[in-house]
């Protein structure tokens, strides 16, 4: 592994992504905080990194846009050097809806960001990390969801299906690039206290579901971030192709 730890966190301006940025900064990563629209939120996370002595850049890019992804990686190359660590966290969630009512435009939005975006970021990361491409190795952590196992019936089967694709990407890519010095793993959180639930039309979803969970409560972004940063670290040096469930026991 390269001495410099250079990390990209997609969707790093809020929720789990922001928590990963703040935790990784303490561990000495130089970080690119990717965001799509909310520059002020990204700048606020960047300021928190600076306050703890870390270094971060912010970069606006829609991960579903191939040219934007290529430009973002080029910007990281110029500022920090080739990427060594990637957290594929950016994702969108549409309003709760049954499959019978979904249109193609909704499906295209969800799959473009959640699936194509993750593939594109993995591709650019591999071109920099892989020993086959002259790199020194690296680590990719994909943020999936327990929805991939549970299905999210009556709410967002499309989102769940997109995360099922992330699970398969993780399994296949771990086998493909493991021999090239890249570890690929996934976390599968669910029922985490973030603003994403408001995007689905139910800000209080976690509170509603919490009594049904074996642990009796929702999770916090910092709890997921701790696991992600562990997977990024040398402490997880023999973990590859794993899917870590973080859904309160469900």
């Amino acid at each position: 592994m390269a001495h410099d730890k250079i990390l990209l966190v997609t969707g790093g301006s809020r929720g789990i992504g922001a928590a990963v940025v703040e935790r990784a900064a303490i561990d000495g990563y130089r970080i690119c905080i990717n965001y799509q629209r909310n520059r002020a939120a990204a700048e606020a996370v960047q300021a928190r990194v600076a306050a703890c002595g870390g270094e971060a850049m912010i970069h606006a890019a829609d991960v579903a846009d191939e040219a934007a992804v290529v430009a973002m990686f080029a910007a990281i190359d110029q500022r920090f050097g080739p990427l060594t660590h990637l957290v594929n966290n950016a994702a969108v969630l549409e309003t709760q809806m049954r499959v019978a009512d979904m249109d193609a435009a909704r499906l295209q939005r969800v799959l473009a960001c959640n699936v194509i975006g993750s593939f594109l970021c993995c591709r650019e990361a591999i071109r920099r990390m892989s020993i086959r491409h002259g790199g020194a190795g690296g680590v990719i952590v994909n943020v999936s969801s327990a929805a991939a196992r549970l299905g999210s019936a009556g709410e967002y089967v499309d989102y769940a299906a997109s995360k099922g694709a992330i699970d398969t990407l993780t399994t296949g890519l771990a086998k493909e690039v493991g021999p090239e010095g890249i570890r690929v793993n996934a976390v599968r959180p669910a029922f985490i206290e973030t603003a994403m639930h408001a995007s689905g039309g139910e800000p209080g979803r976690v509170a509603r579901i919490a009594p049904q969970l074996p642990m009796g409560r929702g999770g916090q972004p910092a709890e997921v971030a701790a696991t992600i940063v562990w997977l990024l670290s040398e402490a997880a040096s023999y973990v590859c192709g794993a899917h870590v469930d973080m859904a309160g026991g469900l």
Side-chain angles (χ1 to χ4, degrees):
M1 291 291 298
H3 177 69
D4 283 339
K5 299 188 295 185
I6 300 167
L7 167 66
L8 166 62
V9 180
T10 65
S13 65
R14 66 176 191 166
I16 291 170
V20 171
V21 170
E22 293 176 46
R23 180 69 178 248
I26 294 169
D27 288 356
Y29 291 83
R30 291 191 289 169
I31 306 165
C32 177
I33 303 164
N34 159 257
Y35 69 100
Q36 186 171 3
R37 296 187 189 91
N38 194 339
R39 183 179 180 89
E43 288 176 339
V45 178
Q46 183 185 34
R48 292 197 291 273
V49 169
C52 71
E55 184 180 3
M57 61 182 282
I58 64 173
H59 190 95
D62 177 354
V63 295
D65 181 332
E66 184 172 19
V69 170
V70 170
M72 175 168 61
F73 275 81
I76 297 168
D77 291 341
Q78 184 173 19
R79 173 73 179 270
F80 293 143
L83 199 74
T84 61
H85 297 75
L86 167 65
V87 175
N88 268 319
N89 170 71
V92 295
L93 179 70
E94 300 264 337
T95 304
Q96 292 172 345
M97 183 180 292
R98 292 172 56 86
V99 172
D101 298 318
M102 294 180 186
D103 61 18
R106 170 185 168 126
L107 298 175
Q108 287 164 348
R109 286 192 300 271
V110 170
L111 297 176
C113 178
N114 300 6
V115 181
I116 295 175
S118 293
F119 267 86
L120 291 173
C121 289
C122 283
R123 183 193 75 189
E124 292 302 308
I126 292 162
R127 290 176 178 178
R128 289 156 174 81
M129 298 175 184
S130 171
I131 58 176
R132 182 177 181 181
H133 294 276
V139 186
I140 297 172
V141 178
N142 295 320
V143 180
S144 178
S145 171
R149 297 183 292 108
L150 302 173
S152 296
E155 294 185 324
Y156 15 75
V157 174
D158 53 343
Y159 175 83
S162 76
K163 294 303 188 176
I166 295 304
D167 282 358
T168 303
L169 166 63
T170 300
T171 297
L173 195 59
K175 294 175 180 177
E176 186 168 295
V177 299
E180 299 170 20
I182 304 174
R183 294 190 297 107
V184 184
N185 294 290
V187 294
R188 290 194 291 214
F191 319 116
I192 309 301
E193 298 277 8
T194 72
M196 176 170 266
H197 300 286
S199 301
E202 188 186 357
R205 182 171 179 266
V206 174
R208 171 174 61 83
I209 294 174
Q212 305 168 36
L213 302 178
M215 289 186 68
R217 67 172 179 88
Q220 296 298 319
E223 293 177 298
V224 182
T227 299
I228 291 172
V229 175
W230 175 74
L231 287 169
L232 291 173
S233 77
E234 286 301 305
S237 56
Y238 199 53
V239 182
C240 187
H243 300 75
V244 182
D245 284 307
M246 304 189 71
L250 195 64

